[in-house]
Amino acid sequence: MAEIMMEIRGLTKRYGDHTVLENIDLDVKKGEVIAIIGPSGCGKSTFIRTLDLLEKPTAGHIMIDGEDLNDPKTNVDEILPRIGMVFQQFNLFSNMTIKRNITFAPVHHKLMNQQQADEKAMELLERIGLADKADAYPSQLSGGQKQRVAIARSLAMNPEIILFDEPTSALDPEMVGEVLNIMRELAEEGMTMIVVTHEMGFAREVANRVLFIDEKVIKEDGTPEEVFHHPKNERLKEFLSSVLH
Amino acid sequence: MKKKKLYLPVLLAVFMLVTALTGCGGSDSHKVTKAKDLPGARIGVQVGTTGDSFVTENYEKKKGTDIQRYDKGADAVQALKQGKIDTVVIDDQVAKAFAEKNPDIKILDEDLVVEQYATVFAKGNDELREKFNKGLAAIKADGTLDKITDTWINKKGKYHYKKKVKNGPKLVIASSIDFPPYESFDGKGDIVGFDVEMLYAVTDHMGVSVEIQNIQFDSIIAAVDAGKADIGVSGFTITEDRKKSIDFSDSYIDTAQVMLVKGSGSDGAASFAEKIHNNFVKDGRWHYLLRGLGITLLITFFAVILGILFGFLLAVIRVAYDKNGSLRFLNYLAKLYLTIVRGTPVMVQLLIIYYVVFASVNINKVFVAVVAFGLNSAAYVAEIIRSGIMSIDDGQFEAGKSLGLKFHTVMIYVILPQAFKNVLPALANEFISLLKETSISGYIGLSDLTRGGQTIQSLTYDALLPLGAVAIVYLVLVVGLSTLVGKLEKNLKKNER
């Protein structure tokens, strides 16, 4: 069995009296592609955002290499750059060119010098088919192009895991494919990924593990085959029948 | 379209000036021919003068009496000519000077109260006061003072005392240069008058040089008390009230308060061309406006820079707290600062900074004005920049955080460049208002554009032309800057998606 790279124990998130996530445990193995599905408002986005500390967990542990992200004594500045994040709304830096969006963080963290970063950026842009947009600004790109750049931006940091928060939800239907294709390639290369998604096709074909989150907890956890073809949980069955007509 | 926009405000401004200056008031006039007529009359005085306290003491409580207090004697005379008041109570020699230049006003042949003039010193500054008194005694003894009196007061003889000691130890003199024949500007911008020559003669005896600062009359005692000036020389009457806050020298001249009223003589209706010549060309008077404009622009420019730097700092403190909950104490201070600065008039702030904060240091007044207007502007700039930062999508912060970038890194490289672009037009408008606000700099004795116009007014007794010219210069600057800002805004919009 592959080594465990992220160990989540007792993860709980509350906003005041309102509990969104209750006591979640999860082991993420290296190279795993985990799709998280569930009805809207079930907390799946909150879950993935706590893993990058965009939401501060109320309780619990997020262990990476034996260090707990939710421990105030941990130097999270060392760990966060190793976790990539791709947002629903892309969140490219509007005031920077595409190339600078990609090179800014690695150069700032001194992972590479500007020249190396530029080369790496061009390599990534070639790969996602946007080399000609290197000097364009985000506002000049389509949604699908922006999301491909956002993926390239997180790849430039050489992350150990990439979190995707509904990466195709804000896209026009004809652009969904180009983004999913890149994610598929990443999965094939062995990148560890956690993807919150509404794309059941993607979850079924690309993910090797599917989580169904509902009512603050993980209700079902299994292979795509198990989750989609032999669902055990009643809520999951209802959910699947509503999304898969 | 553009041109029309420009004409409209100009027309409006001229219209407002004309209505204001031709005086649409003066309904219940009350003829004053002797002191007994004063109760119930509309009486004009210069604020803080003996005339003011005499009239206030004796007539304020009388039914129907309306005392109008003006910053300058010339303003009171102007109001008298326009029929806004019935009489002006003022020092006799000053009244004579006004009556000479204005054939349509005359002096009533009745002295209200006889009094003595002296110079003022900070309480306890006895060493300087005694030296001054010695010098004064000397020029009384050798006849110099009599000769000066003949020239300026009795109008006979051409004797003028020239200052001899121009270097070495220097005394700062506070004087309100709008009180002829005691102190006024001559055509060339030099300060002349009876007080001035008396001062020169006495200080020559003391062996010191002088620097005369033009300060509003009612602020001179405060300036001397605060150590901003060593001596106040401005036709001060010795009164018991004043003795409580300052010390007087020996008296150097006797004088009386008299009543000025509108006479039958005509204004001698000068043609428009003559008025233009008199107000701007004669003796190079336009220099007052040009030099004033220079000071106005200088103050505005550096106040803008100070406003941006300090305002920016305040904005960052406020945002760090709003977004992260950090810097709680600094945020509290910043909020307090914003509340105080935005909740009080800039004029009061200027006076406090000059008379309280910088009370004990003799400091360049332009610097004081830059500090006052800069600190004031900073409060408004801070809120503009803060709203700019808060308008940037949270996603930009989150993207930065997910790349492991620190808050301040995201702020400097991602958020601020975008925020600045968004708020540039609002910032530019703030600086346009700042330009107009500097027009109160005259209150701490700076000769800015507005004060330049007032100086011409005090020389020519004409309000419309100098003030109108000042208004037009401001208007041209503001409309010009606004047009630039509009263009900038359009360009910025073009660069967006």
Side-chain angles (χ1 to χ4, degrees):
Chain A
M1 220 41 209
E3 62 176 297
I4 291 172
M5 70 150 301
M6 189 187 259
E7 203 177 325
I8 300 159
R9 288 291 175 271
L11 186 69
T12 300
K13 175 69 187 175
R14 288 193 195 93
Y15 295 103
D17 289 340
H18 177 64
T19 305
V20 185
L21 300 169
E22 182 85 69
N23 221 4
I24 289 188
D25 295 338
L26 180 70
D27 287 342
V28 181
K29 297 190 194 77
K30 202 165 165 34
E32 245 179 350
V33 178
I34 301 179
I36 301 181
I37 59 172
S40 30
C42 69
K44 53 191 191 299
S45 272
T46 307
F47 173 65
I48 205 167
R49 285 165 60 83
T50 55
L51 303 186
D52 206 16
L53 295 190
L54 294 175
E55 306 283 349
K56 181 117 185 63
T58 314
H61 309 281
I62 302 165
M63 311 292 297
I64 291 178
D65 282 351
E67 292 201 79
D68 183 1
L69 267 184
N70 197 30
D71 182 344
K73 278 174 254 154
T74 307
N75 183 6
V76 293
D77 294 333
E78 298 274 308
I79 302 173
L80 287 180
R82 288 152 53 190
I83 305 173
M85 180 95 187
V86 174
F87 299 86
Q88 182 176 355
Q89 295 297 339
F90 333 124
N91 295 343
L92 294 180
F93 300 134
S94 329
N95 60 316
M96 297 183 184
T97 61
I98 298 308
K99 201 206 267 180
R100 187 128 195 270
N101 259 283
I102 297 172
T103 61
F104 181 78
V107 172
H108 190 82
H109 286 296
K110 301 203 166 63
L111 298 180
M112 42 189 111
N113 64 30
Q114 187 65 49
Q115 197 195 338
Q116 291 166 327
D118 283 345
E119 281 166 18
K120 171 107 183 175
M122 288 318 294
E123 203 178 288
L124 287 166
L125 285 172
E126 291 285 354
R127 178 173 166 187
I128 60 172
L130 290 174
D132 57 326
K133 300 286 187 192
D135 295 319
Y137 281 87
S139 60
Q140 295 164 295
L141 267 56
S142 74
Q145 292 173 326
K146 281 188 218 176
Q147 196 60 298
R148 283 189 275 161
V149 172
I151 294 172
R153 179 173 67 175
S154 64
L155 284 175
M157 294 288 292
N158 291 324
E160 293 163 28
I161 180 171
I162 303 184
L163 312 174
F164 293 82
D165 185 6
E166 305 199 19
T168 57
S169 298
L171 298 178
D172 292 336
E174 72 269 25
M175 293 173 180
V176 170
E178 60 191 66
V179 173
L180 289 184
N181 280 339
I182 289 176
M183 291 169 63
R184 187 189 311 267
E185 279 176 40
L186 283 180
E188 281 161 9
E189 285 164 20
M191 174 63 75
T192 312
M193 296 157 67
I194 302 180
V195 186
V196 169
T197 186
H198 292 298
E199 296 291 332
M200 294 305 147
F202 177 83
R204 199 158 31 192
E205 291 156 30
V206 182
N208 41 36
R209 187 174 171 191
V210 179
L211 305 183
F212 174 64
I213 295 190
D214 189 34
E215 293 173 329
K216 306 165 203 168
V217 294
I218 299 176
K219 283 261 164 83
E220 194 135 348
D221 176 356
T223 63
E225 168 70 16
E226 288 164 354
V227 171
F228 287 107
H229 298 294
H230 311 288
K232 294 188 269 293
N233 183 282
E234 281 309 313
R235 296 271 302 183
L236 175 57
K237 285 179 196 165
E238 266 172 54
F239 172 72
L240 289 176
S241 69
S242 71
V243 292
L244 298 173
H245 37 247
Chain B
M1 278 309 283
K2 276 249 166 83
K3 284 257 162 70
K4 253 187 203 158
K5 268 189 201 155
L6 214 147
Y7 288 138
L8 195 68
V10 175
L11 276 175
L12 258 175
V14 171
F15 175 74
M16 282 179 346
L17 268 169
V18 170
T19 43
L21 296 170
T22 46
C24 298
S27 49
D28 49 347
S29 72
H30 177 112
K31 196 141 173 81
V32 175
T33 54
K34 49 193 177 304
K36 277 188 182 150
D37 296 331
L38 285 176
R42 297 170 304 166
I43 309 168
V45 293
Q46 183 180 359
V47 66
T49 58
T50 325
D52 183 1
S53 48
F54 172 77
V55 170
T56 306
E57 236 166 71
N58 294 291
Y59 301 108
E60 183 155 51
K61 298 254 168 65
K62 299 273 160 60
K63 191 166 178 282
T65 309
D66 177 14
I67 302 174
Q68 300 281 331
R69 296 177 179 84
Y70 296 89
D71 279 344
K72 297 197 205 107
D75 294 343
V77 170
Q78 190 96 39
L80 176 67
K81 289 172 72 172
Q82 290 164 359
K84 287 178 185 160
I85 49 177
D86 304 312
T87 183
V88 176
V89 172
I90 199 162
D91 300 46
D92 59 355
Q93 296 305 327
V94 183
K96 271 185 208 161
F98 281 126
E100 256 167 44
K101 288 206 176 175
N102 297 275
D104 56 340
I105 60 173
K106 63 178 185 191
I107 302 170
L108 294 181
D109 194 15
E110 181 179 357
D111 290 347
L112 291 176
V113 56
V114 178
E115 55 198 11
Q116 295 179 313
Y117 280 180
T119 58
V120 302
F121 297 82
K123 272 239 173 272
N125 195 356
D126 294 336
E127 193 187 338
L128 182 64
R129 195 163 58 92
E130 272 155 28
K131 276 188 192 158
F132 187 93
N133 280 340
K134 248 186 223 164
L136 184 59
I139 67 165
K140 278 178 183 168
D142 68 10
T144 310
L145 189 63
D146 286 339
K147 282 191 267 179
I148 298 173
T149 311
D150 275 346
T151 308
W152 288 100
I153 309 298
N154 304 327
K155 305 285 176 199
K156 50 187 187 189
K158 287 202 176 102
Y159 177 82
H160 280 292
Y161 187 87
K162 294 264 185 303
K163 180 84 177 131
K164 292 185 189 92
V165 182
K166 291 180 178 168
N167 295 309
K170 187 172 75 178
L171 291 176
V172 176
I173 310 297
S175 184
S176 179
I177 315 297
D178 50 15
F179 206 55
Y182 296 100
E183 43 266 322
S184 66
F185 286 107
D186 69 357
K188 293 172 211 115
D190 291 330
I191 301 168
V192 296
F194 172 83
D195 279 355
V196 179
E197 289 186 16
M198 176 276 299
L199 173 73
Y200 286 167
V202 173
T203 49
D204 276 350
H205 266 277
M206 296 164 73
V208 293
S209 61
V210 293
E211 178 197 328
I212 302 179
Q213 294 204 353
N214 185 9
I215 291 179
Q216 200 91 4
F217 185 75
D218 56 352
S219 300
I220 292 177
I221 288 183
V224 171
D225 187 42
K228 295 250 156 224
D230 299 306
I231 315 179
V233 183
S234 206
F236 276 100
T237 307
I238 301 174
T239 66
E240 290 308 313
D241 260 355
R242 284 177 180 153
K243 275 184 188 166
K244 286 175 197 155
S245 37
I246 35 88
D247 286 338
F248 282 103
S249 69
D250 294 338
S251 152
Y252 57 87
I253 192 168
D254 289 345
T255 163
Q257 292 290 315
V258 297
M259 289 168 283
L260 273 176
V261 295
K262 218 168 168 180
S264 47
S266 84
D267 205 352
S271 76
F272 190 66
E274 277 166 357
K275 278 187 170 175
I276 292 268
H277 178 85
N278 196 28
N279 278 295
F280 302 122
V281 185
K282 194 178 167 198
D283 299 328
R285 281 173 183 158
W286 56 276
H287 276 119
Y288 290 115
L289 297 184
L290 189 67
R291 261 182 258 140
L293 176 63
I295 301 235
T296 292
L297 293 178
L298 190 72
I299 295 173
T300 308
F301 179 75
F302 285 104
V304 162
I305 291 178
L306 178 63
I308 289 186
L309 294 180
F310 189 49
F312 178 75
L313 188 72
L314 288 170
V316 168
I317 290 172
R318 299 269 286 124
V319 170
Y321 178 75
D322 286 350
K323 294 258 182 206
N324 281 354
S326 51
L327 308 179
R328 173 183 292 270
F329 181 65
L330 281 178
N331 177 59
Y332 174 77
L333 287 184
K335 256 169 102 169
L336 189 70
Y337 180 83
L338 295 185
T339 308
I340 292 173
V341 170
R342 298 198 302 169
T344 52
V346 60
M347 164 106 171
V348 176
Q349 293 164 14
L350 177 70
L351 294 177
I352 287 179
I353 288 179
Y354 183 60
Y355 287 110
V356 181
V357 178
F358 289 121
S360 52
V361 270
N362 192 9
I363 207 159
N364 183 310
K365 285 185 197 169
V366 172
F367 177 78
V368 173
V370 166
V371 169
F373 291 113
L375 291 183
N376 176 271
S377 186
Y380 295 90
V381 169
E383 285 303 271
I384 292 172
I385 294 182
R386 187 172 83 98
S387 74
I389 294 173
M390 296 309 269
S391 74
I392 303 295
D393 184 38
D394 263 347
Q396 300 279 311
F397 281 104
E398 291 185 350
K401 196 171 175 191
S402 78
L403 290 167
L405 301 171
K406 292 211 172 66
F407 179 75
H408 67 261
T409 310
V410 182
M411 202 68 183
I412 294 168
Y413 292 99
V414 179
I415 306 301
L416 289 177
Q418 297 181 48
F420 258 120
K421 200 170 133 181
N422 289 351
V423 302
L424 212 53
L427 275 183
N429 285 328
E430 159 60 19
F431 298 137
I432 289 175
S433 7
L434 181 63
L435 170 73
K436 289 179 286 179
E437 277 168 4
T438 61
S439 64
I440 57 171
S441 306
Y443 278 90
I444 59 165
L446 272 170
S447 306
D448 72 319
L449 177 57
T450 305
R451 187 41 70 97
Q454 290 179 312
T455 304
I456 297 180
Q457 186 191 357
S458 74
L459 291 170
T460 62
Y461 305 104
D462 188 357
L464 174 62
L465 286 177
L467 295 184
V470 166
I472 287 168
V473 174
Y474 278 114
L475 195 63
V476 167
L477 282 175
V478 168
V479 172
L481 285 173
S482 301
T483 315
L484 276 180
V485 173
K487 281 200 179 138
L488 192 73
E489 232 169 319
K490 248 188 213 160
N491 275 343
L492 287 180
K493 277 213 182 103
K494 232 186 280 170
N495 288 345
E496 276 163 25
R497 64 193 62 212

